[in-house]
């Protein structure tokens, strides 16, 4: 298959049109065909290891997620299916539900006994809902009955108390359309939406459960499923409730994309890659978006092309377990070889007709390309910092508590860092943590951050506190301007002379320039710690660090940091002058004469 020619008149930034999206979808779908089971019910893709749910569940995952991609491809073409995608998935539906829970080569795992199957049931149901005239309505009645019976257990309460509630919602939406069990399905819709309401924090943001987990799941799950369900159901009341929430979220979400197309790699399940484009497409589909049609396509095409141009698929055309190429530290235990195909959600724009302005209007630049921006993200404690000169996006984290998946005594690299960016890190154990502030134990090991308690955010700042050791409290703040970051930490209750270390941005050859300069409390100069591969690519990399030691019960440490794609940047030392007074309070004069003031609070008694 030959790539369609670029169109730089319509798509000045990416060159891509709807034809490129259809071509990409077909290539991904054709590449998985050799790995289908005899009846096509399982797609067991090659990979380094199975997920914790086992190979049969992984085979269902490969089927369900690529089925969703096929559904978007065919539904968006009004049923035109030149490669016969739906016929293959129709055969798989019949084979997989013939003996669910059995050990045959095509048998699907049963929902009550395989928890992961609940996740995949949502993709199956959504694909069936999107393609109903061309697939479901043409299935034999016994097959429809078997598929319905297999899906029905997903209507039970979710076994996981987070975005999983929306999988039942999605199955219920299809069953309501298809007819059987509508009363039970309606009850599932109501129960699922009521549960996520407990996590709605306003200003466009949900927590993914009761744990202040903020990441791309807001875009590709928590907004995606309710809004798409309301749209497909034609439920105006639901769309009037959830559509404005999506609009508010997209006003923030669009700032998380680099000029080169990369979304900020923050949180978990980053192997879904261009699924981050799903929410902008959904906004265009429903009319609930602050983005212009040209900006929507610029974002989405930029993201899809970013990954496909950088090796997200291997030489067989298969999506790998990584960001660009494979990167094992990025992979969660629940992920198997078929997991990356949740990226199918990023193809939602194919549901828009070819004549929609999102496909025909000229592309428009992203916010990261237009102006330097600092933007707090609603109630999350996250602060975005972008620079137009290089199009780079940084995300400062002073609000996430979803760090427990790092394991006993460990931080999750996807949640616990103080900062993330579109062109760096994060590092992975046993390498030192990037963008981290730690107390150093006598054996030289660094403390973990653990849960962050958000204290405040403002137009150019974010503050938080954490407890790295019993009886020790650290109040942290970042103040940003242009490419500059002033990082301050007030250590309360640590023994006199406790060593501390601040690390900066990890970079490798050919990457952006990383700078870290001590201002107060640290020794002179920064060291370069040797580090290895990150999701950006193989090692070696280096991570700058500055060191100091506590003096007294309240010790202040301040450094200037910078990450920039500008050539030959001026030293970080010249980015600001800092005067420190009692409080402590920091009085900052940036390089361009702009002034700022930062006070570090003492938040309550130090925990025992």
């Amino acid at each position: 298959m030959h790539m369609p020619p670029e169109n730089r008149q319509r798509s000045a930034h990416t060159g891509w049109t709807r034809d490129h999206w259809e071509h990409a979808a077909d290539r991904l779908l054709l590449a998985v065909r050799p790995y289908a089971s005899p009846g096509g019910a399982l797609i067991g893709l090659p990979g380094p290891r199975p997920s914790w749910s086992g190979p049969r569940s992984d085979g269902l995952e490969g089927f369900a997620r690529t089925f969703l991609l096929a559904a978007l491809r065919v539904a968006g073409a009004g049923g035109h299916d030149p490669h016969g995608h739906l016929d293959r998935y129709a055969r798989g539906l019949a084979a997989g539900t013939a003996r669910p829970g059995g050990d045959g080569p095509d048998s699907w795992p049963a929902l009550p006994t395989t928890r992961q199957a609940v996740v995949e049931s949502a993709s199956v149901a959504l694909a069936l809902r999107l393609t109903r005239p061309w697939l479901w309505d043409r299935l034999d009645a016994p097959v429809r009955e078997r598929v319905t019976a297999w899906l029905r257990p997903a209507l039970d309460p979710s076994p996981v108390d987070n975005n999983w509630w929306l999988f039942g919602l999605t199955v219920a939406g299809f069953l309501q359309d298809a007819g059987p069990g509508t009363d039970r399905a309606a009850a599932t819709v109501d129960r699922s939406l009521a549960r996520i309401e407990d996590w709605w924090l306003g200003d466009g943001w949900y927590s993914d459960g009761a744990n202040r987990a903020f990441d791309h799941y807001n875009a590709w799950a928590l907004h995606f499923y309710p809004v798409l369900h309301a749209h497909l159901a034609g439920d105006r009341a639901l769309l009037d409730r959830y559509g404005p929430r999506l609009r508010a979220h997209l006003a923030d979400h669009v700032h998380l994309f680099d000029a080169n197309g990369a979304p900020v790699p923050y949180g978990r399940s980053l192997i879904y890659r261009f699924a981050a484009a799903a929410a902008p497409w959904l906004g265009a589909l429903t009319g609930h978006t602050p983005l212009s049609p040209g900006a929507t396509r610029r974002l989405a095409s930029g993201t899809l092309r970013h990954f496909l141009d950088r090796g997200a698929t291997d030489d067989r055309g298969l999506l790998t377990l990584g960001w660009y190429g494979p990167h094992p530290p990025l992979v969660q235990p629940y992920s198997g070889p078929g997991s990356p195909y949740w990226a199918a959600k990023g193809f939602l724009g194919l549901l828009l007709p070819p004549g929609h302005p999102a496909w025909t209007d000229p592309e428009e630049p992203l916010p990261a390309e237009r102006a330097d921006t600092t933007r707090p993200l609603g109630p999350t404690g996250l602060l975005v910092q972008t620079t137009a000169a290089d199009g780079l996006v940084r995300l400062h984290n002073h609000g996430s508590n979803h760090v427990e998946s790092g394991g006993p005594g460990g931080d999750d690299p996807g949640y616990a860092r103080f900062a993330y960016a579109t062109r760096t890190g994060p590092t992975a154990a046993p390498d030192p943590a990037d963008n981290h502030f730690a107390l150093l134990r006598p054996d030289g090991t660094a403390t973990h951050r653990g849960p962050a308690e958000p204290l405040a955010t403002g137009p150019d700042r974010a503050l938080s506190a954490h407890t790295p050791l019993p009886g020790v409290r650290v109040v942290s703040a970042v103040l940003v301007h242009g490419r500059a970051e002033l990082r301050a930490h007030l250590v309360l209750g640590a023994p006199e002379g406790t060593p501390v270390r601040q690390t900066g941005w990890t970079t490798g050859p050919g990457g952006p320039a990383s700078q870290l300069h001590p201002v107060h409390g640290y020794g002179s100069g920064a060291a370069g710690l040797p580090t290895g591969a990150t999701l950006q690519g193989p090692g070696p990399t280096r991570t700058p660090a500055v060191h100091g030691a506590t003096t007294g019960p309240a010790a202040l440490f301040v450094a200037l940091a910078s990450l920039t794609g500008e050539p030959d940047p001026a030293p970080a030392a010249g980015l600001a002058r800092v005067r420190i007074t009692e409080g402590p309070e920091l009085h900052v004069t940036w390089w361009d004469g702009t002034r700022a003031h930062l006070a570090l609070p003492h938040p309550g008694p130090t925990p025992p």
Side-chain angles (χ1 to χ4, degrees):
M1 296 177 64
H2 296 291
M3 179 70 73
E6 291 188 355
N7 184 333
R8 290 289 171 175
Q9 288 71 44
R10 181 175 293 178
S11 302
H13 297 271
T14 71
W16 277 30
T17 65
R18 183 187 176 93
D19 289 343
H20 293 85
W21 281 81
E22 292 177 341
H23 175 86
D26 286 333
R27 289 192 65 175
L28 289 170
L29 289 166
L30 294 172
V32 304
R33 286 187 176 183
Y35 304 97
S37 57
L42 303 173
I43 297 180
L45 298 171
R49 56 135 182 88
S51 73
W52 62 14
S53 299
R56 187 171 296 273
S57 174
D58 293 348
L60 171 64
E61 185 173 63
F63 175 94
R65 299 184 182 199
T66 59
F67 182 25
L68 177 57
L69 177 57
L72 292 167
R73 169 68 175 96
V74 176
H80 181 57
D81 189 5
H83 296 283
H85 296 312
L86 292 192
D87 287 344
R88 299 179 66 87
Y89 287 96
R91 289 194 300 108
L93 290 165
T97 57
R99 283 189 59 217
D103 58 2
D106 283 289
S107 295
W108 282 2
L111 266 72
T113 56
T114 302
R115 195 169 72 168
Q116 183 64 29
V118 174
V119 182
E120 308 320 319
S121 72
S123 291
V124 171
L126 181 54
L128 289 170
R129 193 175 192 183
L130 293 171
T131 60
R132 184 177 173 186
W134 311 290
L135 197 162
W136 178 258
D137 290 347
R138 298 182 181 183
L139 289 177
D140 293 339
V143 177
R144 291 200 301 268
E145 291 170 3
R146 296 202 307 265
V147 172
T148 299
W150 183 82
L151 289 170
R152 195 171 288 120
L155 300 179
D156 292 338
S158 171
V160 181
D161 198 26
N162 62 3
N163 69 84
W164 278 45
W165 284 92
L166 299 174
F167 304 141
L169 164 78
T170 304
V171 171
F174 166 67
L175 294 180
Q176 283 180 311
D177 282 358
T182 55
D183 290 344
R184 185 180 174 197
T188 297
V189 170
D190 292 343
R191 180 175 60 234
S192 301
L193 294 178
R195 187 69 187 105
I196 68 164
E197 200 66 21
D198 293 339
W199 306 323
W200 171 244
L201 301 180
D203 294 330
W205 288 88
Y206 294 89
S207 174
D208 190 12
N211 55 6
R212 291 190 60 82
F214 306 113
D215 57 25
H216 290 289
Y217 271 89
N218 261 270
W220 63 44
L222 290 158
H223 286 285
F224 179 86
Y225 289 112
V227 175
L228 186 56
H229 166 72
H231 171 73
L232 295 175
D235 191 322
R236 176 51 56 184
L238 282 184
L239 198 56
D240 286 347
R241 180 193 305 172
Y242 294 106
R245 295 183 180 185
L246 172 63
R247 177 187 292 271
H249 182 70
L250 289 175
D252 285 341
H253 187 64
V254 67
H255 289 273
L256 297 176
F257 291 80
D258 193 295
N260 68 17
V264 175
Y266 166 66
R268 62 191 176 95
S269 301
L270 294 176
I271 59 172
Y272 303 156
R273 297 177 173 103
F274 43 83
W281 281 132
L282 184 58
L285 183 67
T286 62
H288 289 280
T289 180
L291 310 181
S292 68
T296 298
R297 189 173 80 258
R298 161 71 181 104
L299 183 156
S301 292
T303 299
L304 177 61
R305 181 163 191 179
H306 178 83
F307 286 106
L308 295 184
D309 284 354
R310 288 167 174 79
T313 56
D314 63 17
D315 55 6
R316 297 162 295 190
L318 303 177
L319 288 172
T320 60
L321 288 160
W323 189 245
Y324 302 133
H327 185 59
L330 198 66
V331 184
Q332 271 74 41
Y334 56 75
S335 298
S339 296
Y341 287 86
W342 231 35
K345 293 180 177 184
F347 284 82
L348 189 73
L350 290 178
L351 295 183
L352 296 167
H356 191 281
W359 290 120
T360 61
D361 281 7
E363 286 182 343
E364 298 178 14
L366 294 172
E369 298 172 284
R370 295 198 301 262
D372 291 1
T373 300
T374 60
R375 182 183 182 93
L377 302 185
T380 65
L382 302 173
L383 177 72
V384 172
Q385 175 193 13
T386 70
T387 42
D390 53 10
L392 204 153
V393 180
R394 310 148 192 85
L395 182 68
H396 299 279
N397 170 25
H398 287 263
S400 174
N401 284 354
H402 191 58
V403 297
E404 69 278 1
S405 55
D411 283 340
D412 187 328
Y415 289 100
R417 303 292 196 255
F418 278 93
Y420 298 84
T422 46
R423 303 184 200 175
T424 71
T427 58
D431 287 343
D434 60 308
N435 291 314
H436 183 55
F437 180 83
L439 281 65
L440 301 181
R441 302 181 182 92
D443 63 359
T445 58
T447 57
H448 302 292
R449 185 183 186 189
E453 174 194 336
L455 298 179
T457 55
D460 62 349
R461 67 196 62 200
L463 294 86
S464 63
H466 68 280
T467 304
L469 292 171
V472 178
R473 187 78 155 164
V474 178
V475 178
S476 301
V478 64
L479 188 67
V480 301
H481 185 71
R483 68 176 175 95
E485 311 160 33
L486 186 71
R487 301 181 179 187
H489 304 277
L490 181 64
V491 180
L492 305 170
E496 180 86 12
T498 300
V500 303
R501 182 180 71 197
Q502 167 78 68
T503 55
W505 299 100
T506 297
T507 57
S514 172
Q515 299 174 331
L516 187 64
H517 173 71
V519 173
H520 179 84
Y522 300 110
S524 60
L529 303 179
T531 44
T534 71
L535 56 78
Q536 301 286 340
T541 58
R542 293 189 73 79
T543 302
V546 289
H547 294 79
T550 59
T551 54
L556 177 66
F557 300 91
V558 183
L560 281 163
S562 168
L563 179 74
T564 179
E566 296 180 49
D568 301 319
L575 292 175
R577 298 194 310 275
V578 183
R579 182 170 60 89
I580 299 171
T581 59
E582 288 295 323
E585 297 187 9
L586 281 64
H587 307 269
V588 182
T589 303
W590 299 110
W591 75 95
D592 60 1
T594 304
R595 296 177 182 271
H597 169 260
L598 176 67
L600 292 178
H602 289 236
T606 303

